[in-house]
Every structure is written in C-alpha cells, then in structure tokens.
Amino acid sequence: MANVAKKVSWSGRDREDDEDGRAGETTPLLNGSGPGAAGGARQLTPSSFLRIGQLSNVDLNEDIHELQTELPRQRPNEIPHNEKLLSLKYESLDYDNSENQLFLEEERRINHAAFRTVEIKRWVICAMIGILTGLVACFIDIVVENLAGLKYRVVKDNIDKFTAKGGLSFSLLLWATLNASVVMVGSVIVAFIEPVAAGSGIPQIKCYLNGVKIPHVVRLKTLVIKVCGVILSVVGGLAVGKEGPMIHSGAVIAAGISQGRSTSLKRDFKIFEYFRRDTEKRDFVSAGAAAGVSAAFGAPVGGVLFSLEEGASFWNQFLTWRIFFASMISTFTLNSVLSVYHGNAWDLSSPGLINFGRFDSEKMGYTIQEIPIFIFMGVVGGILGALFNALNYWLTMFRIRYIHRPCLQVVEAMLVAAVTATVGFVMIYCSRDCQPIQGSSVAYPLQLFCADGEYNSMATAFFNTPEKSVVNLFHDPPGSYNPMTLGMFTLMYFFLACWTYGLTVSAGVFIPSLLIGAAWGRLFGISLSYLTKGSIWADPGKYALMGAAAQLGGIVRMTLSLTVIMMEATGNVTYGFPIMLVLMTAKIVGDYFVEGLYDMHIQLQSVPFLHWEAPVTSHSLTAREVMSTPVTCLRRIERVGTVVDILSDTSSNHNGFPVVESNADTTQVAGLRGLILRSQLIVLLKHKVFVERANLSLVQRRLKLKDFRDAYPRFPPIQSIHVSQDERECMIDLSEFMNPSPYTVPQEASLPRVFKLFRALGLRHLVVVDNHNEVVGMVTRKDLARYRLGKEGLEELSLAQT
C-alpha cells in the first residue's frame, strides 16, 4: 500500500471537525479498521471491557504511522495519492432508527390525530423547502443577470471604442482583469472559508443520501458561500453553469428547515423537534435536491426522477409525493417571482433558471431514417464524454498532489479565468464570420471588423453567459454560424470546461456540457444539410438539442431524469424518444471506457460509497471474511469508568457497541442483547444517568428522547464531559437505551446477502453472530465498500487514515 500522509478532502480541513462536533478527536475509526487495531495500540485490561474475536482483513503498514508522526507541520509540496484507497476519515449516518424503550414508548403514546399532525408538518416543511429554494434561485438569477450584463456592456463599449482607433490589447486586458478579479473573490471565499462549497455539490449530496457524513456539507455557511460563489463564477466568465449548485443549495435549505434550528446562528426555534434524526433529515434532503433541479430547469418531474436516479438510496411512495410537491412549489415560486421581475406579473413563462425555448415540432419533426443518425450522435457523445472524464481525472489527480494549498487554488482559478477571457477574445478577433444583425436575438452583438449592420457570430458563443449561448445554438436560424466557427468553439470550450471543473469555485458542469454538445450537434446538422442538399430534416437546431443531450449524458451518465429534464425544459414531448435513444447510447458507450464524472470524483476522494449491488463476483466471500474484529462489547449493566475509558480510547474510536448479558466471569462470552451508539452513551454520561443516583433519587427526571434530539447532530466530545473518580465507580444500566433488536447475520452469510441487507435498510452497524448468538464481529460501511470490481476481477481496497 502506498505511503499516504494526508489527502485534500471535500471539507478541506486538516483537523477532524465533522458534524458530530468531535473537534479535537482523532479520526473516527470503525471496529478494528484503523491504526489502533493494526497492532501496538493501548489495550485495556479484560476487566475493563470485552474484546471478542481477532483482527481480520485489515492491512495497514507501520510505515504509514511513522510517516504521519515524522511529517512537519507545514504542508508538503506534493501529497502522494493512491486511487486504491478507502478513507477512514468519513463517518456514516444512522439511517436505522434505534427502537429502544424510549422510542417505542413515545411512538405508542402518539395517537392517530398526533400522527396526522406529524404528517401535516412534513408537508409544511416540503412547501417551505420549495419556496425558499425557488427564492434562492431567483436571487442567483437576478444578480447574475445584472452583474454579467454590466460586465459585458463595459467590455463591449471598450471594444467598440478601440476597434476604430486601434489598441484592442487594452480591451483584452480589461476583459481578462475583470474576469480574474471576480473569480478571485469567488475562489477566496470557497478556499479559505468553506472548501466543501466547491464544485457543483452533486457528488457530496449523493454521498450524504448514500449514508456518508461529509463534514460541513449541509451547513448554513456552506449555503451562503455556495450562492455567492456560483454568482461570482458565472459573472467571472468561467465555463460553468449556475444550475448544478442549485441541487446542493436545495439540500442545505431542506436540512436546515427540517431541524427547526441553526447551529451556525445558535438559534433553536423549538419546532419540528420530532424530525431531529438522520432518517427524517435524509428524506427532506432528497426533497431539497429535487427542488433544486426543479428550480434550475423548470422540471418538477425531472427533479423527482433526478433524486431517485442519482440521489436517494431509500424510496417509498409517500416520499415520492412529498418530493414532487416540493419540486412543484419550487418551480411555481421561481416562476412567479421572475414573472413579476420581468414585468409580466400574470405570465408564468419563466419556470426555471434556464429555458431552452419552444421547439416547433411541425418544422422540426423527425423520421425513421434519422434513428441511426441519433444513435451515432449518442456514440459520439459517449466517446467525447469519456474523454472529458478521463482528462478531468488526471487533472484532478494532479490537483490533489500539487495544488492543495488554498493560495495555489485561488491562483489557479484566476489563471483559468484570465485564460478563458483571452481564448474568447482571440477566437472572436480571428473570426471573420459576420452575420446580419436584423432579427438577431444576440444580447451583446460585437461588430469588431464586420461591416455596419453585421455582428461577429463567434461572439454569440463566447461573449455571453453559457445559458444564453445554449439557447442561441438551439434556436438561431440556419446559416447563423460558419462551420469553422462551431468547430473551433467546440474544441476550445471542451478543454476550457474540462480544466474548469474541479477548481476551488462553486460551479456546475450541466450547462458547459450542454453548450459543448449543442455546438458540435449544430455542426453535425450543418454537415448533414450539405450532404443532403438542404433536406428538410437536417435542421441544425434539432441536432444541437441531440448533441447537447449526448454530451451531457456522456459526462454525467444520467438517463431517465435527464430525458424528462430535457423534455420539460424544451416544452416538447416530440423529441422524447430520440433523447432517450441518444442518452442510453451515450451511457452505454461512456461506461465502456470510464465511470461517470460524479462517481469518479467520489472515488477520487476515497469515500466509502455503497452502490446499488455488491460486486458480481463476490459470492465466494462470507461475513466472517468481511467483518471487522475485535469488537468492543459492553455489558447490560456496566461500570461508568469502563464506558468512559472505551469512549476516550482514541486507538479504537468505535461508534457502535454490542450489548451483552452481564456476567461476573469476564472470560465467558455472553449472548447478544442489543446495540448502543457512541452518541447515546455520551448523552447518558452528560446527564449522569447512573444506577446509584437513581436509587438515591438524585436524578431530576427520567431521560426522554427529547434529550437525545437536543444534542443532535453535534454530540459533545467525550473530553468535554467531566466524570469524577467517585462517579467512575458507579454503574450504568443500558437496558432502557440500547436497541434490543439490532440486525444480525450469521458468520456464514455471503457478501452479496450482507450487502443487500446493509444497503437496503440503511444500516451503520451489522452485528455478526455465531450459532450461540455470541458476537464474533461487526460489519460496517467500510468493510463492504472496500470490495469492488476492478479490471482484474474483485479487488480489496486498502484502508488509510487520509
């Protein structure tokens, strides 16, 4: 295994400060899956607690620990990185409710009317998610439109002024400086304040919904930086779109509203307390992601399908209805506000941030002869998408190794912004593709060296926001672009977009992908028109739409949701079948070469992501070979000092503990009685729920579920809880608080069976027992995620504290 000291993560933090608030603790490790289990760790005495089983399937070399201790405090120039790693840094979320006595008593007390009240609250929360997501989208759209318009007007006036009397180099310098300055601000706030706000946020939300806790991913601060960052990225002229980050923004809004409080603002509104657990929060985050898609594209059905296809790991019919409701409210809110803003208060014709415009199906129909052409375009999109992903993969590896300092990340973002402006200016300057300005929909027509009454058509692609460029390529009449113009634009924008994705800025890849595809699709349509002597079915706008779908499908590998999004955004179901055909072909061809862009970036961050199915060749493995051992067990009535020592032991920082029957003889292993979580034990210690205090009537009141919800989601670290020497000798009864019916599997169960149970139920811990119901091991997320299908068959990833 490669020596890995540290790797830049999505959170970008050197210290562990995750959403449990365990600042100052070492990396949370799983049972037996960490340096402490690999040997040399401090072992507590057998009387302290039970250790069951032997270490298995963990191969961590000692030189890693030596390297970590010898490293200087300053960041190294290069961070070694091995793609076949699985990070122990990421913790899991508790998507399985702990059905202890407190939970069951509360649920039994709730009558039918109370259940209906809870359900109404869910619908209210979904409505609030839709409204706020729509308002955030409006804010982004209006600010981008005004700031970008101001910038393009200033540069246009400058170019017009210097075209006549010479000195266009000053115009280039002005354009590049404006871009670099704006992007610098956007990159600084991301790199130095909240690094997890970089990119589109879709991979992070996918991981969250999969059950992985990404630090800071649904914080209010992340939302603020995301919104400001995406505005500055688009205004700064980067090859990015504002639609992708809306998904992350919607998810953060959903996570905040559903909890009824903000830990960033230190405000608790004492509402929606019932939903303060990971299971409920996950469902609302799914609705928020869907509302974000709906606001971005004006596609409520597409938003629901996106959440199903790309996001949510768990699904049911009631959740579908609520997600659709949130998506619908989001689109309606955006539509209403933008209609008022544009001066048409009753005209609901702006359903999304981008509207592809109406395609006239009478003029742009398709025939059966075009089906092979669409399939061919899907093949081209798959190949170009795979090339885009492969180039971006190597570029991201380079960034992980060398560009890991925030200052370097800001410099790179400024460089890309300046290069983008320079390339655009040079392309416009060298182009002699002049088109008549009459009837043109170009927002900022540049005349440059064209005759009076004409404009430079290259400027319609480069000298504009990417959204407007896409619509122009879809709807400009035949003859609006020279084939050379489209060819050069496609080539240059392809590499610019590839270089841009992965910068430390808030930005999406949807619109750049559509723009690249629309350009080469229109070029393809023009070529067909030449070959067929101007046949009616070779309309360039139609092929621009197919090319856009093919390119985006080839990069992100979405099929079902992207089909509906494209249909809803164009307002035309006529092209439903061709779009399906193109997207399926692009996905099949692209998957043959490399993974989709989002999955690739999840893998590069070494996240323990669980796919829908176990690796196909894993039936030979059993739970005995996969599980982590030794397992730290607690007795049903345990000494407080023992609990404190276990929680304080940084070499085995477990998060779930099987509870076994209390036995006087510590050498005898007892049967499984339940499972209790670290967070629950911390709350018990904080409130000092000890047997002796209860007998002396020192306990003020009986602990309720509300006490656990009040501490959620950032439970205090064990170091912050003071336990006196006398209290260490007290006993703590776990019977009331443990989950008495945890999921278990026999040690002979196959890996696919274990995987299916773990994945479908959203588990965090799965106890492995023998024939006598005695605990022999524990299966956690990392134990399953480290097995994957590689080029040479089933491979086991190494575990590293990265």
Side-chain angles (χ1 to χ4, degrees):
M1 179 176 148
N3 292 346
V4 177
K6 183 180 66 177
K7 184 163 71 64
V8 177
S9 71
W10 276 326
S11 68
R13 297 287 188 258
D14 297 342
R15 67 186 186 278
E16 286 303 315
D17 185 11
D18 65 7
E19 294 192 60
D20 274 350
R22 291 194 291 269
E25 289 192 38
T26 58
T27 302
L29 304 181
L30 297 176
N31 286 311
S33 301
R42 179 172 65 88
Q43 295 290 331
L44 301 182
T45 60
S47 60
S48 300
F49 56 87
L50 296 176
R51 291 275 193 181
I52 300 177
Q54 299 298 321
L55 180 68
S56 68
N57 294 323
V58 180
D59 183 19
L60 291 172
N61 296 335
E62 291 181 3
D63 56 350
I64 297 174
H65 315 310
E66 293 172 9
L67 181 62
Q68 287 172 335
T69 55
E70 293 171 7
L71 271 177
R73 288 191 177 274
Q74 65 269 25
R75 295 171 184 258
N77 291 329
E78 178 186 354
I79 293 181
H81 175 58
N82 180 359
E83 63 185 41
K84 294 188 178 180
L85 287 177
L86 201 63
S87 176
L88 289 169
K89 187 180 82 70
Y90 295 106
E91 265 305 314
S92 295
L93 294 159
D94 292 297
Y95 282 167
D96 178 42
N97 288 324
S98 177
E99 292 195 349
N100 53 25
Q101 286 184 31
L102 297 182
F103 179 84
L104 293 175
E105 286 173 10
E106 181 183 85
E107 293 296 311
R108 287 165 186 157
R109 281 198 302 269
I110 298 177
N111 55 25
H112 182 67
F115 269 118
R116 292 196 57 166
T117 304
V118 169
E119 192 62 23
I120 290 170
K121 285 183 179 179
R122 286 195 177 100
W123 286 92
V124 169
I125 291 172
C126 287
M128 293 171 66
I129 290 168
I131 291 169
L132 280 178
T133 304
L135 292 176
V136 167
C138 290
F139 175 77
I140 292 173
D141 189 57
I142 292 169
V143 175
V144 166
E145 183 180 329
N146 285 281
L147 290 181
L150 177 64
K151 184 192 82 168
Y152 286 123
R153 282 194 297 273
V154 168
V155 177
K156 179 183 183 302
D157 292 343
N158 193 272
I159 290 175
D160 291 343
K161 174 184 169 185
F162 283 102
T163 302
K165 61 179 185 179
L168 276 172
S169 55
F170 181 76
S171 300
L172 166 60
L173 186 63
L174 174 67
W175 192 2
T177 304
L178 281 173
N179 275 17
S181 302
V182 173
V183 169
M184 180 189 73
V185 178
S187 183
V188 164
I189 62 174
V190 171
F192 288 95
I193 299 178
E194 199 52 88
V196 79
S200 66
I202 296 175
Q204 291 92 318
I205 296 303
K206 279 187 70 171
C207 291
Y208 184 90
L209 293 173
N210 191 259
V212 182
K213 181 183 292 180
I214 306 295
H216 304 261
V217 74
V218 288
R219 294 270 184 91
L220 176 63
K221 186 168 70 170
T222 305
L223 174 65
V224 174
I225 300 299
K226 193 85 179 182
V227 170
C228 297
V230 74
I231 289 171
L232 294 166
S233 300
V234 177
V235 173
L238 291 176
V240 300
K242 59 182 183 283
E243 282 70 21
M246 277 307 306
I247 295 159
H248 190 179
S249 301
V252 179
I253 289 168
I257 291 175
S258 64
Q259 303 306 292
R261 67 179 174 188
S262 169
T263 47
S264 300
L265 298 177
K266 305 290 190 296
R267 295 293 301 274
D268 190 343
F269 299 101
K270 301 297 181 184
I271 56 174
F272 307 140
E273 286 184 320
Y274 181 80
F275 306 117
R276 289 178 186 173
R277 54 178 185 264
D278 287 338
T279 316
E280 297 284 354
K281 197 172 178 180
R282 172 199 70 204
D283 291 346
F284 290 119
V285 168
S286 299
V293 176
S294 181
F297 297 98
V301 179
V304 176
L305 293 175
F306 173 86
S307 197
L308 171 61
E309 184 179 11
E310 286 293 306
S313 303
F314 315 98
W315 204 261
N316 61 48
Q317 192 177 39
F318 294 109
L319 182 60
T320 309
W321 295 341
R322 290 198 298 271
I323 288 177
F324 180 65
F325 180 66
S327 299
M328 181 185 70
I329 295 293
S330 176
T331 297
F332 178 75
T333 303
L334 179 82
N335 208 338
S336 303
V337 175
L338 287 185
S339 297
V340 172
Y341 174 73
H342 293 304
N344 305 310
W346 305 105
D347 179 22
L348 300 179
S349 56
S350 303
L353 291 183
I354 182 170
N355 188 356
F356 293 150
R358 299 278 172 181
F359 282 81
D360 192 342
S361 48
E362 292 183 8
K363 294 180 182 177
M364 296 174 61
Y366 64 94
T367 61
I368 195 166
Q369 296 97 315
E370 293 178 89
I371 299 299
I373 297 173
F374 294 146
I375 294 173
F376 176 74
M377 291 184 77
V379 172
V380 173
I383 293 171
L384 289 178
L387 177 63
F388 184 99
N389 292 358
L391 290 174
N392 192 260
Y393 176 86
W394 293 111
L395 183 60
T396 306
M397 288 284 286
F398 178 83
R399 283 179 175 135
I400 287 172
R401 286 176 171 155
Y402 298 103
I403 312 177
H404 45 79
R405 291 188 178 91
C407 53
L408 290 178
Q409 294 167 344
V410 173
V411 169
E412 187 197 13
M414 292 174 64
L415 175 65
V416 174
V419 168
T420 303
T422 305
V423 167
F425 186 87
V426 171
M427 296 277 284
I428 294 169
Y429 184 84
C430 296
S431 173
R432 293 295 179 267
D433 185 8
C434 297
Q435 302 293 337
I437 205 167
Q438 288 84 6
S440 171
S441 60
V442 182
Y444 311 103
L446 284 181
Q447 184 179 352
L448 219 54
F449 301 115
C450 294
D452 290 341
E454 292 185 335
Y455 69 95
N456 189 307
S457 71
M458 180 66 84
T460 61
F462 267 116
F463 198 69
N464 216 335
T465 56
E467 288 86 356
K468 289 192 174 76
S469 299
V470 170
V471 177
N472 288 338
L473 286 168
F474 282 166
H475 295 290
D476 281 354
S480 299
Y481 298 89
N482 188 301
M484 181 62 71
T485 300
L486 290 172
M488 290 302 296
F489 173 79
T490 302
L491 182 65
M492 298 309 299
Y493 207 81
F494 181 90
F495 290 108
L496 285 174
C498 187
W499 189 12
T500 304
Y501 190 79
L503 290 178
T504 312
V505 294
S506 298
V509 76
F510 270 75
I511 299 302
S513 305
L514 290 171
L515 184 52
I516 295 165
W520 69 254
R522 192 173 181 98
L523 177 62
F524 187 82
I526 292 171
S527 305
L528 272 180
S529 184
Y530 284 157
L531 292 173
T532 58
K533 302 287 190 296
S535 174
I536 185 65
W537 49 266
D539 188 289
K542 172 174 53 179
Y543 291 100
L545 177 64
M546 296 303 150
Q551 185 66 51
L552 182 54
I555 291 174
V556 301
R557 310 291 161 74
M558 290 158 50
T559 52
L560 183 65
S561 57
L562 193 52
T563 300
V564 177
I565 288 170
M566 296 291 283
M567 286 166 57
E568 287 185 283
T570 56
N572 194 325
V573 297
T574 306
Y575 297 117
F577 178 69
I579 291 173
M580 290 178 204
L581 207 57
V582 163
L583 288 173
M584 286 298 294
T585 309
K587 175 175 171 56
I588 292 167
V589 172
D591 283 342
Y592 180 78
F593 296 104
V594 292
E595 286 184 299
L597 189 65
Y598 300 143
D599 292 327
M600 192 182 72
H601 277 263
I602 289 170
Q603 183 182 317
L604 278 169
Q605 292 296 335
S606 304
V607 179
F609 187 88
L610 295 182
H611 293 279
W612 289 104
E613 297 287 343
V616 290
T617 58
S618 59
H619 277 86
S620 58
L621 292 172
T622 62
R624 185 193 293 111
E625 298 166 276
V626 172
M627 68 188 185
S628 292
T629 55
V631 181
T632 303
C633 292
L634 296 172
R635 300 179 190 85
R636 197 167 51 81
I637 300 176
E638 188 60 271
R639 197 171 65 90
V640 171
T642 302
V643 175
V644 173
D645 289 341
I646 291 173
L647 297 181
S648 303
D649 184 14
T650 56
S651 66
S652 56
N653 201 357
H654 309 336
N655 286 282
F657 304 92
V659 179
V660 296
E661 190 55 68
S662 302
N663 280 328
D665 184 6
T666 55
T667 60
Q668 181 182 353
V669 179
L672 176 68
R673 291 294 177 267
L675 182 78
I676 194 161
L677 303 177
R678 166 182 287 268
S679 56
Q680 294 173 314
L681 290 171
I682 284 176
V683 173
L684 296 182
L685 291 174
K686 180 182 176 182
H687 289 273
K688 302 190 184 301
V689 186
F690 308 147
V691 174
E692 287 78 3
R693 287 172 63 87
N695 293 338
L696 294 173
S697 301
L698 294 175
V699 178
Q700 300 294 324
R701 59 179 176 79
R702 185 167 174 260
L703 216 58
K704 296 181 180 179
L705 271 186
K706 182 181 183 301
D707 299 297
F708 294 91
R709 289 173 182 151
D710 286 343
Y712 175 87
R714 300 191 191 99
F715 296 95
I718 184 63
Q719 289 83 357
S720 69
I721 296 173
H722 176 70
V723 178
S724 67
Q725 196 60 42
D726 290 339
E727 288 174 336
R728 286 179 61 89
E729 301 304 319
C730 293
M731 304 301 287
I732 186 168
D733 189 351
L734 305 178
S735 305
E736 192 178 4
F737 310 101
M738 69 181 186
N739 181 0
S741 54
Y743 291 101
T744 62
V745 289
Q747 54 189 342
E748 291 80 20
S750 67
L751 174 59
R753 190 171 184 82
V754 173
F755 189 99
K756 190 176 295 184
L757 180 65
F758 197 97
R759 178 71 167 76
L761 296 174
L763 303 182
R764 185 176 184 181
H765 305 97
L766 183 59
V767 184
V768 182
V769 296
D770 62 11
N771 296 335
H772 305 290
N773 197 37
E774 295 172 356
V775 180
V776 293
M778 180 91 83
V779 174
T780 56
R781 171 175 292 273
K782 282 135 185 142
D783 299 319
L784 297 176
R786 61 193 169 132
Y787 291 96
R788 75 173 185 201
L789 197 61
K791 294 178 180 177
E792 299 176 1
L794 192 67
E795 60 184 17
E796 183 179 350
L797 306 185
S798 303
L799 298 172
Q801 191 173 353
T802 56

